[in-house]
Amino acid sequence: MSTKEKKISRIAISTGGGDAPGLNAVIRAVTLSGLKRGWDVYGIQDGFRGILLPEQYVEGGMVKLTFDKVRGITHLGGTMLGTSNRNNPMRYPIELPDGSIEEVDRTDEIVRNLRLHHIDALISVGGDGSLSISDALSKKGLRVIHVPKTIDNDLDKTDATFGFDTAVGFATESVDRLHSTAASHGRVMVVEVMGRYAGWIALHAGVAGSADVILIPEIPYDINKVAEKIKDRDRMGRHYTIVIVAEGAKPAGGKVTIREHKIGKDERLGGIGEQVASEIRSITEKETRVVVLGHLLRGGTPTSLDRLRALRFGAAAVRALDDGQDGVMVALDPPRVKYVPITEAIGQMKYVPVDSDTVLTARDLGISFADAKKA
Ligand code: F6P
């Protein structure tokens, strides 16, 4: 009998990639739903690192999840299992004797080690990087259900991911707070938010927090249009302006701002806020300050919406296994939770549609995207 056909009695869960508020809620839902079915539930520590340790240590890289272990964690940020966005098992960095780094595929070892520990199925919680890993493991014969996670909201085939609402809530509150200090000093405040190559966080927080300018990757900006908006406001007696900029925003004809090249093709975005601010200063001669929200967006307690999404996703992943499903991603299709084949969800990102009603709403409210269209 192949592993895929075997009746489930033991499952594992891993959390991979950047953390997002709601991960602990998923772990709790998976654990309680698994235990309810009489299954043993194990948590793999630090993404997949816990199952890639030398054989004699693998036991230490997994933790048996019990009712007690997952008590009182729904509202906690982060992940009790730990995570990493640096040790992708498909491109695992190994240091060679000459000090250079080689990337190797260690997914076979994951499948082998999980079998060694009689794990019948894996619930993998993560963003697009983890989704590719889930796909590879599934193709290698492991029974896998993927749970989508990211504050960036950029995963395709799901209406939303948990973590996004918490990030938007914090960014909105930050913009709210900046209004009074910006107004008191007659300054321009530039707020940089995460989101990678998608502008969801900037757009939603910018509209909800009444920013004056929103810069997102999907609508390349013209810095002169930003300056025009600031000057227009000055002429109307509003001597301050709030600009929210997504880390992946780029000027028309320009490139994204990269803070650091990680190993392999990954890049760490960031620095666009400083760049935009310095250009605003030199064009408008106004006092301009930058606030980079960065990892604050990933921390803190998940909102009730994110907790609910996370709990629903976790429980749905276990139900999928119980129903004999395999190689699928849990997805939100309001009001339902549904399942889509991992192969369909992979490789595509979900960007802000430039004609979406949220973008149109922003324009109707007079918010500028610093493009050719009049706000
Ligand atoms: O994908 C989540 C995210 O927070 C992005 O918004 C951001 O670009 C990236 O992760 C930051 O990664 P790191 O934790 O490596 O700084």
Side-chain angles (χ1 to χ4, degrees):
M1 190 190 294
S2 88
T3 321
K4 294 219 178 205
E5 284 155 15
K6 197 172 159 264
K7 199 169 165 300
I8 290 180
S9 64
R10 194 181 266 209
I11 63 171
I13 173 170
S14 75
T15 55
D19 67 337
L23 282 169
N24 282 320
V26 180
I27 296 168
R28 178 173 158 86
V30 165
T31 305
L32 297 187
S33 309
L35 294 178
K36 186 182 161 212
R37 286 162 173 81
W39 302 348
D40 286 333
V41 184
Y42 283 83
I44 302 175
Q45 293 186 316
D46 302 330
F48 286 104
R49 215 180 67 86
I51 197 77
L52 285 172
L53 297 171
E55 229 154 75
Q56 67 270 33
Y57 302 121
V58 167
E59 204 66 68
M62 297 221 290
V63 43
K64 188 164 185 185
L65 296 172
T66 58
F67 287 103
D68 277 351
K69 284 253 166 53
V70 299
R71 184 164 294 138
I73 62 168
T74 303
H75 65 293
L76 300 180
T79 159
M80 65 173 281
L81 294 175
T83 186
S84 169
N85 57 6
R86 299 246 155 181
N87 294 321
N88 181 341
M90 293 170 77
R91 294 186 280 120
Y92 201 91
I94 305 270
E95 191 173 341
L96 299 177
D98 66 358
S100 62
I101 303 285
E102 190 188 33
E103 292 182 339
V104 295
D105 183 348
R106 299 189 64 188
T107 46
D108 280 333
E109 284 172 72
I110 294 180
V111 176
R112 196 196 61 210
N113 288 349
L114 286 174
R115 282 193 184 139
L116 210 66
H117 291 274
H118 309 288
I119 301 290
D120 305 312
L122 171 73
I123 294 179
S124 172
V125 191
D128 65 320
S130 307
L131 192 62
S132 304
I133 300 165
S134 292
D135 183 49
L137 295 175
S138 172
K139 285 180 175 143
K140 289 187 175 185
L142 193 70
R143 207 186 295 187
V144 183
I145 305 291
H146 190 85
V147 171
K149 162 249 58 165
T150 169
I151 64 160
D152 304 333
N153 195 38
D154 59 356
L155 281 184
D156 199 32
K157 297 284 186 275
T158 180
D159 188 66
T161 46
F162 63 86
F164 175 61
D165 187 60
T166 308
V168 170
F170 183 79
T172 304
E173 192 194 328
S174 306
V175 173
D176 287 347
R177 284 170 181 254
L178 290 172
H179 275 280
S180 57
T181 176
S184 305
H185 287 262
R187 283 173 172 162
V188 178
M189 300 297 302
V190 177
V191 191
E192 180 183 309
V193 294
M194 285 184 168
R196 286 208 305 176
Y197 305 103
W200 295 103
I201 298 175
L203 176 66
H204 283 221
V207 175
S210 301
D212 305 296
V213 180
I214 300 175
L215 305 180
I216 56 173
E218 295 84 351
I219 307 179
Y221 66 86
D222 174 353
I223 196 66
N224 294 308
K225 297 274 179 194
V226 180
E228 242 172 59
K229 177 75 179 177
I230 295 166
K231 288 181 188 157
D232 280 352
R233 285 178 56 79
D234 261 335
R235 276 192 287 275
M236 288 188 297
R238 296 191 191 108
H239 298 295
Y240 75 97
T241 296
I242 309 261
V243 179
I244 186 161
V245 50
E247 63 180 357
K250 49 186 183 295
K255 288 199 170 115
V256 291
T257 313
I258 292 162
R259 192 181 289 283
E260 181 198 352
H261 284 279
K262 290 192 208 168
I263 297 164
K265 62 181 167 64
D266 293 342
E267 49 196 19
R268 227 181 115 215
L269 302 183
I272 186 71
E274 213 31 270
Q275 187 180 308
V276 165
S278 110
E279 287 172 330
I280 290 174
R281 252 180 241 123
S282 70
I283 304 175
T284 66
E285 294 178 357
K286 279 190 78 81
E287 256 194 313
T288 306
R289 296 285 187 271
V290 187
V291 178
V292 180
L293 295 182
H295 295 81
L296 289 169
L297 295 167
R298 296 222 307 246
T301 188
T303 60
S304 49
L305 185 69
D306 276 339
R307 290 181 208 185
L308 192 60
R309 275 178 187 161
L311 293 168
R312 288 173 71 198
F313 281 10
V318 170
R319 284 200 302 276
L321 284 177
D322 206 10
D323 291 347
Q325 298 216 55
D326 177 28
V328 294
M329 179 180 92
V330 178
L332 192 65
D333 182 13
R336 296 178 314 132
V337 162
K338 66 174 186 183
Y339 305 101
V340 291
I342 290 174
T343 44
E344 272 179 31
I346 211 164
Q348 297 188 66
M349 305 309 289
K350 183 178 68 190
Y351 298 108
V352 172
V354 295
D355 56 354
S356 71
D357 86 278
T358 313
V359 170
L360 298 182
T361 301
R363 292 194 194 275
D364 283 337
L365 294 173
I367 299 173
S368 167
F369 289 91
D371 57 347
K373 285 194 188 133
K374 190 102 189 97

